[in-house]
Amino acid sequence: MVKTLLCLLALCAVAHADDDDGGDPVDNGPPLLLGFRLAAGKLPVADQQLTTFTLGLDVDHPITKTWRAFGEYDWMWIDRDQMTMQHGSGHRVLAGLRHTLAQKREGHFRTYLDVEGGGGLSVLDDSVLGVRMLPTGFVGLRGGYDFMHTDSPSRVFEFEILVRAIIVDDGTGLLAGFGMQWGN
């Protein structure tokens, strides 16, 4: 996990965003994006499959036209499959890179498919398991569409759907969700 984070930091330190040549923002790719996401999934912790529901905030920054760096914060609601009062909450902070595999642009409308990966830390406070800190890695696919306009204060509106494998010490879980981002 530490090696993954060090590699991401090294990439971010040596990479730089493409210079804005003053041309059409549609041709320069999406700018800095801020957004939110709702997601649900399964997380393996202490030989149990916990159900998670997350509300997340994210910031997404261009490095090149096909590479973006991002950071996320998720608040998690943790539950079990049984109908019990055993539940908890948690926090997850992630950093990663995403790369565009395919995209199609028609005017101001673009559809895309990205691959992403990175790492971070999750802190869970569960009524049964207590407080746990989990080094967390992830890989996934993100797809969606965006609208880019030059005559709006918010140049970009992006809708996304994602599927991720969440990797922790006790195994690999799954997360799926949708989100929206805005950029200027």
Side-chain angles (χ1 to χ4, degrees):
M1 180 59 57
V2 173
K3 291 178 186 175
T4 302
L5 291 174
L6 289 174
C7 287
L8 287 171
L9 288 173
L11 281 172
C12 290
V14 299
H16 61 86
D18 290 335
D19 294 330
D20 186 357
D21 61 5
D24 185 0
V26 172
D27 294 332
N28 292 333
L32 176 70
L33 299 171
L34 302 172
F36 74 92
R37 178 178 306 117
L38 298 171
K42 294 287 188 176
L43 187 65
V45 179
D47 297 324
Q48 299 180 37
Q49 286 292 327
L50 303 178
T51 301
T52 63
F53 301 97
T54 64
L55 173 61
L57 300 173
D58 61 78
V59 61
D60 193 308
H61 182 69
I63 297 173
T64 68
K65 289 183 180 183
T66 60
W67 285 93
R68 299 182 70 83
F70 62 90
E72 300 176 352
Y73 165 77
D74 290 330
W75 178 83
M76 296 185 288
W77 171 264
I78 302 165
D79 204 359
R80 288 174 173 67
D81 291 333
Q82 302 100 5
M83 298 298 288
T84 66
M85 294 302 291
Q86 299 171 346
H87 60 272
S89 64
H91 306 275
R92 181 168 42 218
V93 177
L94 299 173
L97 293 172
R98 69 188 246 204
H99 176 68
T100 302
L101 295 175
Q103 68 178 336
K104 183 176 181 179
R105 183 175 307 281
E106 293 183 22
H108 293 290
F109 184 79
R110 177 183 76 107
T111 56
Y112 65 90
L113 178 65
D114 291 354
V115 63
E116 61 182 16
L121 183 68
S122 299
V123 178
L124 309 179
D125 186 5
D126 184 75
S127 61
V128 174
L129 300 173
V131 176
R132 293 188 177 249
M133 293 181 66
L134 306 171
T136 306
F138 68 94
V139 293
L141 289 173
R142 183 188 308 208
Y145 62 88
D146 61 39
F147 296 97
M148 300 187 84
H149 298 282
T150 57
D151 58 349
S152 171
S154 194
R155 292 189 325 180
V156 176
F157 169 77
E158 184 170 296
F159 176 79
E160 64 185 17
I161 295 174
L162 67 83
V163 176
R164 286 183 178 162
I166 303 290
I167 305 151
V168 294
D169 290 338
D170 293 332
T172 302
L174 184 66
L175 179 76
F178 67 93
M180 290 179 256
Q181 296 179 316
W182 294 264
N184 193 350

